[in-house]
Each structure stands twice: as C-alpha cells, then as structure tokens.
Amino acid sequence: MLPTELLLFRVRAGLVEPRRLRPTTGNLGTADMLIQTFEAHIGKRRHELDEELRALEAGRQDFRVVRGLAHLLANRGTFEAGGHVEPGHVRARVFALAQDHVPSRRHTAHLLEQAARALSTDTPVSPAEVAAALYADLPDQQTLVALDAPTPLELIQLYDLSQAQGMLYRAYSLVITARRNEPSRYKQLLKYLKFFGLMVTVEGDADVGFTLTLDGPTSLFGSTTRYGLALAKFLPALLHVTKWDLSAAVKPRRDLAWVDPKDDEWSFQLTSEDGYVSHYPEPRDHDSALESGFVERFAKLDTGWVLEREVDLVPVPGGVILPDFRLVREGRSVLVEIVGYWRPEYLRKKFDLLRRSGRTDVIVCVSERLNLEKAGVDPSDFGDRVVWFKGVLNPRDVLAVADRVRPA
Amino acid sequence: MRPTLRLDRGTLVLREVPEVVACWFTWDARSQNHRAPGASYRPVMEALRSAGVSVVDEAAVFSKLELGFARDVTPYPHQMAALRAWKDAGRRGVVVLPTGAGKTLVAQLALRDTPRSALICVPTLDLLQQWYAGLVAAFPDTNVGVLGGGSHDDTPLLVSTYDSAAIHAETLAGTYAFQIFDECHHLPSDFTRVIAQMGLAPYRLGLSATPKRSDGRERDLDDLIGPVVYSVAPDELAGDTLADYRETIIRVKLSAGEQRRYDDLIRQRNDFLRLQGIRLGSLEGWTEFIRASGSPQGRAAMRAHREAKSLAYGTEGKLRVLEEILATHPSARTLIFTDDNATVYRISREFLIPAITHQTPVKERHAMLENFRSGDYRILVTSRVLNEGVDVPEASVAVVLSGTATEREHIQRLGRILRKSEGKQAVLYEVITEGTSEERVSQQRRGQWSPGMSAQDIADHYLDLNAPD
C-alpha cells in the first residue's frame, strides 16, 4: 500500500477516481526502468539509490507516480547495515573519546585517528572507515541486499491496486453488491472480514444476489474512518470474488488546496470487471478433501440436481454463514453443510449458527467420528435433515434427503 | 436472569437493556443486540448501581495493582493541589502544568492513590522511555510494560505511544481502569481519540503544558478525559520550581559571498514567478509553483528556491557560531536543537557530538539520555524528538539552531532548561540568520509575528500538498 502523500486521484461530481497506470508501453517502460534501477543498486547504499531515484523523477510531470512505484519496490527490498565494524559500537567509542575535549571541528580528524586505533583488532580500521561506520545503520546508509522483483506488469498492477486501496483509508463503510455467480468464493472473504475485525450486514438471496455492508462495531454511533485501513487491506481479498460492485463513502481530503471545501462526502466505486489484480493468494476451490471428494463423486452421478459451491450467504444474528453447497433442481433449492472434524467449540458454534439462521432447508452431513454429545451439540433439531457418514460422504444419501426437504 | 454486559471490540454489548441505562445504548441490527461506546462504562455502571439493578460484568477485566511507592519526595504545593483537584472531580480531568513543573510526579501520586491497572499514553519514544524509567523508580515492585518502539508488553501497568495504543485500542479497552494521557492535546486527533472512546477506564487523567491545538479540538478533551480540573501558568511558578533563564538571540549574517548567492537565487526564482504570473503569498500560489516546476525553467526556479532556502537556514554560519558557544561554556551540560535530521548528523559527524533523532534505536536513545544525565555525555544534538516534555534536568545551556514556527514547540523547548538547578542560570541561545525570511519564522515562534503564511512556511509544508496532475 502507499502512504497518503503518494495517492493520486481526481474528484468528479463527488466521485473519487484513483490514478490508474494501465500497461501502456510508456508505463511498462517506466516500471521496467525502476526495477532495473533497484536491481542495479543491490549491494549499494540506500542514499545512492534515493539519489538515483530523485534524478529519475526530476522534471517529470508524473514524478509522484515514479515515487509511488519506487515506494512499492522499496517495500519488496531488504535493506541492511553493512561493514565489518558495528556502528553502535563505533559511536559508543567515538563519543566516549570525544568527551575529553570541547567539541571543535579542529579536533575531529585527530579523534577519528584515536578511535581507529582503539577499534583496530586483527583487522586494522582506518579513520575514514570509522567516519563511514559512524551512522552506517541509519536507514539511508543501509545497503539493499535483496529484492523480490516483480515484472513491470506486476508492478503496475500493484500500483493500481495500491491507489485503489488508498481511496479506502478514509472510508466510513463499504457496500458490496454481489451478483448471482458460481463459484463466488465468499469463504475467503468472510475469513478476511473476521481477520480485520470488520462487521458485515447481508441482505438478499442466492438467486438475485446479495448486498453486503461492511463497517465496524463503533460505526453504529456515527461515521468513523477507524475501519478505513482494514477496508483497504480487505480489498485484495474481495478481488478474488467474482461479479460484484463496490461503493464506499469517503471523507473528503480537506487538507488539499484543490478540493472544493463544500464537498462533505465523496464516493468511491469499483466493480469486479475493472481489471484490478489481487496479490493475495488465490483461495483454493475446496478447503477439505471431504468436500472435493464429494464434488468428484457427485459429478459421476446421473441426477437432475445441480451442485453449486458456496453461493449462498445466510444472514444470522451477529454474522453470516456460508453453507458449503447448494443443490438446485427445477426451481427448488436446498443447502448442504458438511461437518467434518473440528474442535468442540467450533462445532457448538456451527450448530448454534445453523439453528439461529432459522432455515429449514439446510441438510447437515455429520461425520460419525465426531463426538457431538461430548461437544455439547444436539443435532436432533435438524430432525431428518441430518446425514450421518463414515469416512466417505455418499452424494446419493444427501440427494435422498434433498428430495424430501420442503423448499424454503 | 441478570443481563450480561460484554465488551466487543471497544464497545459495550447487552442483549437486553435495563431501562435505567437505555439512553447510553443503541440497537445494533447487525448483531441483534444493544451497543454503547466503551467509554460509557462508568456512567452505565453508576446508573445501574444507583438503581439497584445488577448485571454480570464480563466487559471489564481491571486488576488491582500493588504499588509500593518507593519515592521519598515532597511534592510541591501545586502538585498536591493538582492531585486534590483531580480527586475531587471524581478522578477524571485534565491538569495543566508548565513543562518542568513535575507533571510526572502528579501522575505517580494519582497512580499511588488509584491502584488499578493503568495505561499511560505518551506522544514520543523518548517520553516512553522516560515514563518507563520513572515508573520503575517509583514502583520498583511492579512489572512495568511498554507498548511501542518495538516492544509489545501486556502488563497491568503499561506505557504506550499514542499511535500504538490507538492501533491496539480494541484489545486494550477492557483491561485498564485508569488511563493517563501525557501531553494530552495529542488525544483528540481522528486517529488517536479511539483510545479514550473505546476504553472502559472509569478513571482518567490528562496532563499538558498547553492543551491548545491549532484545530480547536482541545474542547473534545472534556468528553474524552474530563474538564480541566487544575491549571497553572509558567510565570506563576517561576522562582518556585523553575530556574530563571536568560535568552540570547545571535544573528548570523551570511558572508558577503553567501549573501550574493542568496540574492541571485531569489532573483532567479522571482523572475520565473513573475513571468508565470505566480504570487507566492498564498497557498494557491505555491501549488501553482509546484505545478510549474515540471518545465525545465520551472525546475531551475525550484532548485534556486531550495538552495536559497538552505542558504537562508545558514547552516555553515550557524556552525561557526555553535563552535563559539560551545567554547564559551566548556563544562556546561548543553543541548543543541536543529530542525532537520541532516543538520543533526552533520553536527554529529563534524563535531563528534552524540546525536538523537527519531531514527535512533530506542535502547540507544535511552542509553544516551542516561549518559547525558549522569554526565558521561556533556552535550547532545537533537532534532525535534526531544521537544515535548522530555526530562533532561541537568541541561543549563540550550542552543536552538533553527526552528519551525509553532508556539507550543517554543514553550516546550524552553521548558527543557527551565529546571531549577543549584545556583545556575540557564541560557537559551537562538541562532538565526539575518536578512532572510527565516527571521520571521523565529518571530512568529515567539508570538511576535503572525499575519498569514510566509512563503517559507509554505515551502516547509509543500510536501503535504497533493495536487492531481
């Protein structure tokens, strides 16, 4: 992500549009030039790199773009203090020696010689080396030792994404309209929501799509940008979800001279088709062998039922659950949740949420290896909508129940 | 069944709300329960108690502290008065004392008399170290923790930077019964105010020399901490706690060659501005200048401006004066302030004087200040990091080599040497360059000059601008 001062955007009729580079020859060239500059400075001091970068950006209209790209590259670099004398040690020695005199530039060379003698062990140290080592550990004196170099295209994608993320730093909340799609990959999205301490309100159903409103606990008492950073970090996770529109209310940047002081809210909008690329890992299609085995076996069946993965967000008080599968046949649908091995408190919570959802069209498949009684779970509420299985879950058993379940 | 009060990420949550506290809670449809800001914990609990309604309190996990106070100090009358006023106000409120008047002792006494888990927020890493050292000295049997500057402790007595406490506000909210805010004018900013809003702490103490903020949000301190319960101005204490000091302004003239160069550069810049019809007197003018600096001529003008600025700060001339001042006080404990890190390191390298900037590692910074206190280091050079309330009692000479124009900084820099030390008159040298715009910055710093922003002020802030291209 980028610091606020490197964010570039314009505002049109209250809509903020982050700067996008797009992979034109010119932009790819700029990215390539910067990557090469960084690579050429592996083994050199940071201030040399910084000077080179300043020279590169000088006089360019787009110097802030260059600076932004360089910032993202620097984040992928490893900087370390070099040299064979430890700077902190050198400072302690030099300053201790310097205490005998009233500081004066006339004494400096002499003191450095004294310090060099004192610091020389098996390897002799010169006064010049002492002077160089004095602040070798400062950030701008450190050496670029390694670079996790992206390709020019990846750098431009990262830049565009970072600019879009930056628009959310000052967001009060974020509304996602998710259109009907399969697979929708909501699971990772929900995980990230939890991870970043965000709250979600879900409305809608699997056939028409959902509206998800994201904010945080204290958003209830008034608009707050407290969760802006979390929303920004969340954006790359959302990019793995297909078919959505996003709209965020953003607090205007009053600190900028060109901003109309009458603006009291900006809006930031994005869709899944805007071509942003996530650098978060792709979610795996199935998170357990149990589920992928079920899908494989289901594919071999000759049945009128269609199996959809993770398409239905079921709102429950205090959150949302995402059943593993949805079975659809001639306008009817049932949800399928597979409960494999889990810790007792997870099981309790899972069953509690399923119960609180109030849905009567959920089939729960439970491994016989689970000791539900010990976990304090009573599956009898689900009546005949429970499918017990040993090791392997047979899709036929699930379909047999599905045929009986009344539509919701 | 008694209702259960829970804490959820800095908010209080109840499934059913007793009528007497309904006004603090809001129905939250997202989670199907009632929610209130963490800070309403005290009025909620007080209202429940006076109505005789009992709840299960799962929100607060405060702990008692065994604070053996190992300090044999006699507080000054103003410190005792401040403590009394704060207690009389129900252990909530702000105490305003000048830098050097012993705010830390007031806080330690408040802790001694309120022995509950306490979170202390400070604005800088130096203050973090200083509070840590002070608390260890005052309460040697207590495990004092640090949050920020690379440390992440989790102790009932915790010192944190505002930034770290704000980042972790949700997790800190339920643990601390007592919040102390040092230099509390930092608290009302958008990012840090959540510490007070999410925190349950029934007891709150704010400390400041100058609670004023440029945005006027010091008013919010009433809600976040409590009203000002005690206030005393520097001149009411002079002679009592604070040593007398003498202020000497030294004007450095640019050498004839430097002056010619400066005039030349300013002429170059102004020619360009005139051609472009840009007037630098306003922020818009400055923005235009930045936009125009893309062209080769504009770039040259901007370069001329920068070099003129650096000449105006007159570093070379100031270093000559510095050398003279250091020779005048060959044994005085001396602090040198400059505005920019580059000059700090230049002085450190050229004079071999130990330096502290925000880049100095926390432990080394602590060791340097200890060395300075003990007399092992007689002189320190520093950028702005020591500005706020860092306690360096032995300094009797301060040299300010350049500065930015804010009133508070000036007061607090002065405060650094306003310490009573036996028979010593403190001296503050301010070294400014004559005949350039920087002079006005110095005047403004002392409250003598203020009409609008000078080009220099704007130049100092130009990186904050973010015009689209």
Side-chain angles (χ1 to χ4, degrees), chain B residues 10 18 22 30 37 42 96 133 157 165 172 201 260 269 342 372 400 465:
Chain B
R30 301 170 301 177
R42 176 168 173 164
V96 180
L157 188 55
L172 298 173
R260 269 197 305 278
R269 182 198 70 182
F372 188 70
V400 180
L465 299 173

Side-chain angles (χ1 to χ4, degrees), chain A residues 85-127:
Chain A
V85 270
E86 203 272 304
H89 181 56
V90 173
R91 284 195 288 273
R93 261 311 163 82
V94 168
F95 295 144
L97 281 169
Q99 295 307 310
D100 297 338
H101 301 269
V102 173
S104 159
R105 285 186 276 191
R106 285 179 300 120
H107 292 313
T108 300
H110 174 66
L111 277 168
L112 288 174
E113 273 169 40
Q114 259 185 289
R117 274 197 300 278
L119 286 162
S120 290
T121 47
D122 298 340
T123 14
V125 181
S126 72

Side-chain angles (χ1 to χ4, degrees), chain A residues 247-389:
Chain A
S247 172
V250 177
K251 189 177 174 186
R253 284 280 300 278
R254 289 273 168 69
D255 55 319
L256 301 177
W258 55 271
V259 167
D260 185 344
K262 290 192 291 291
D263 281 7
D264 53 358
E265 188 177 285
W266 287 345
S267 172
F268 172 56
Q269 304 196 348
L270 204 67
T271 81
S272 51
E273 282 78 50
D274 284 339
Y276 285 93
V277 180
S278 179
H279 58 292
Y280 285 7
E282 283 263 346
R284 284 172 299 149
D285 273 350
H286 304 285
D287 57 1
S288 76
L290 212 55
E291 285 157 26
S292 53
F294 180 74
V295 172
E296 278 164 31
R297 281 186 296 282
F298 187 93
K300 290 176 192 150
L301 290 186
D302 181 20
T303 168
W305 287 97
V306 177
L307 185 69
E308 297 176 343
R309 298 189 307 259
E310 296 178 9
V311 290
D312 204 358
L313 291 165
V314 180
V316 291
V320 56
I321 53 174
L322 178 61
D324 297 318
F325 299 101
R326 181 171 183 252
L327 286 166
V328 188
R329 177 181 200 173
E330 291 152 16
R332 294 174 58 198
S333 78
V334 290
L335 300 171
V336 179
E337 179 69 13
I338 304 179
V339 186
Y341 176 74
W342 286 103
R343 292 183 313 279
E345 67 267 32
Y346 182 90
L347 283 179
R348 259 199 306 281
K349 195 167 173 208
K350 187 149 210 163
F351 276 87
D352 188 44
L353 284 173
L354 283 170
R355 197 173 293 125
R356 281 191 3 224
S357 73
R359 296 280 286 250
T360 54
D361 57 346
V362 185
I363 300 172
V364 190
C365 310
V366 190
S367 166
E368 284 183 358
R369 283 183 300 188
L370 290 173
N371 191 336
L372 291 186
E373 210 171 313
K374 202 170 152 197
V377 174
D378 177 9
S380 65
D381 300 17
F382 298 92
D384 56 2
R385 287 181 287 119
V386 180
V387 176
W388 294 93
F389 66 94

Side-chain angles (χ1 to χ4, degrees), chain B residues 318-333:
Chain B
K318 286 175 180 171
L319 293 194
R320 290 195 294 267
V321 172
L322 174 66
E323 191 147 356
E324 183 190 354
I325 294 172
L326 293 176
T328 313
H329 299 277
S331 57
R333 208 64 59 78

